Amino acid sequence: SDDLPLAGQIFVLSGTLPGMSREEAKELIETNGGKTSSSVSKKTSYLLLGENPGSKLEKANSLGIPTMTLSELLQKVNQE
């Protein structure tokens, strides 16, 4: 529903997330109303930034997609 903190937002996961598997991160995003995608595009809302993000970060930067760290994501979902 629309009152979830990540409703309508699409996240692409990049790199190694600190203390959380990619599956757990996907679940966290989907539980809070967001979606995940495997590739960066103009529709991407945020690149979830892990360690050694590689080419996804370059593509996000070239498209002007904002990045978000895992701790920022956790703050966002816990504030609601």
Side-chain angles (χ1 to χ4, degrees):
S1 74
D2 287 343
D3 51 4
L4 291 168
L6 305 179
Q9 297 182 356
I10 300 174
F11 289 80
V12 173
L13 282 59
S14 73
T16 309
L17 300 172
M20 187 180 280
S21 73
R22 293 172 88 94
E23 283 308 308
E24 287 171 321
K26 282 183 180 179
E27 263 179 47
L28 176 73
I29 289 165
E30 287 165 8
T31 304
N32 287 282
K35 295 193 172 85
T36 58
S37 172
S38 55
S39 58
V40 176
S41 74
K42 289 194 167 103
K43 293 181 183 165
T44 306
S45 308
Y46 293 99
L47 183 70
L48 188 60
L49 203 54
E51 293 167 32
N52 307 317
S55 60
K56 285 182 182 172
L57 179 58
E58 289 168 28
K59 182 144 192 211
N61 286 340
S62 71
L63 292 172
I65 308 293
T67 60
M68 187 183 285
T69 63
L70 183 59
S71 59
E72 287 170 335
L73 176 66
L74 291 168
Q75 276 180 341
K76 202 174 164 89
V77 299
N78 290 330
Q79 274 169 358
E80 301 298 314

